[in-house]
Amino acid sequence: MWQYTKKLQYPVNIKNPNPKYAQIIISQYGGPDGELGASMRYLTQRYSMPYAEVKGLLTDIGTEELAHLEMICAMVYQLTKNLTEKQIEESGFDKYFVDHTAAVYPIAASGLPWRAEYIQAKGDIITDLHEDLAAEQKARTTYDNLLRLIDDPDIRDPLKFLRQREIIHYQRFGEAQQTRCNDNGGAADKTA
Amino acid sequence: MSEQQRLKRTIHAYDFAIYEMVLYLDTHPNDRMALEKFKHYKLKRAAAVEQYESRFGPYTVTAKDTKNEQHWSWVDNPWPWENEANS
């Protein structure tokens, strides 16, 4: 089960609302390679995993992704505060606003709502770990793209943290794959 | 930032270090050095929490001494996604 700690994993304090930025950052919530997909993927795959430490890893990374989802939502929330009608119209945010006002809803930058088809749980450790490695790279690339488009340091700071975490997760999935999917010569955990 | 915020940030830093060790230990469950590091961070965090609580009251909703609380502060603003919780 889950405990909730009443804080963000890394602080988000954005001084300048910007609905244009909100529209692209929201992809890391409800988009194909976003944190909602990541958390659901890992928390779903763990049930059919054969090795204890892989169940642990998927549980713990999946839980951390929920914390990242929360940070992304905090960013969208802060970026869409106190908007004027003019800002809403000129930024193109009106298309989202009409259906959700200033709520934070899981969609991609394209406007497509999140879907379960973004994830897979194939029930095979080799397959699932390969998907997880790919997922972390896709997420990292998405953060790269956001950093290309956004110059506000208040926003760049938490984005860089989140990007770094994807790289670390990739490392951990790689180690799990080495230990459990190849012959033991290359295992990260030699005692496995 | 205030002393209270600074102490909170210190605890958060240890929270993060501990969580990093959790992920590493998931893929290296028999790494003794990593286990030692994990225990070390937990001790440091406990000390920081103790320091915080002695001066500012409970850090978590289940902190040991809540008898002085007249009011259920868990629900109080700000919540984590609001600017005030991160300044």
Side-chain angles (χ1 to χ4, degrees), chain A residues 49-59 180, chain B residues 26 29:
Chain A
M49 279 294 169
Y51 296 107
E53 80 280 1
V54 183
K55 298 175 211 177
L57 187 69
L58 286 169
T59 299
R180 292 305 181 186
Chain B
D26 281 347

Side-chain angles (χ1 to χ4, degrees), chain B residues 73-85:
Chain B
S73 58
W74 167 255
V75 297
D76 287 348
N77 287 326
W79 277 75
W81 54 89
E82 293 163 343
N83 292 79
E84 301 77 12

Side-chain angles (χ1 to χ4, degrees), chain A residues 26-100:
Chain A
I26 206 162
S27 247
Q28 286 298 58
Y29 180 28
D33 306 315
E35 306 288 0
L36 176 55
S39 48
M40 289 304 106
R41 177 187 295 105
Y42 307 146
L43 294 173
T44 301
Q45 285 178 357
R46 65 194 178 123
Y47 300 112
S48 53
M49 279 294 169
Y51 296 107
E53 80 280 1
V54 183
K55 298 175 211 177
L57 187 69
L58 286 169
T59 299
D60 296 335
I61 295 187
T63 302
E64 188 180 349
E65 302 293 16
L66 290 173
H68 294 174
L69 178 170
E70 190 184 33
M71 280 175 63
I72 295 293
C73 291
M75 294 170 80
V76 173
Y77 167 79
Q78 292 180 15
L79 286 166
T80 53
K81 277 170 73 175
N82 304 321
L83 297 177
T84 63
E85 270 92 21
K86 189 159 181 285
Q87 282 177 296
I88 293 170
E89 277 170 32
E90 286 179 358
S91 62
F93 186 65
D94 50 354
K95 293 172 201 43
Y96 175 94
F97 180 87
V98 72
D99 287 330
H100 306 292

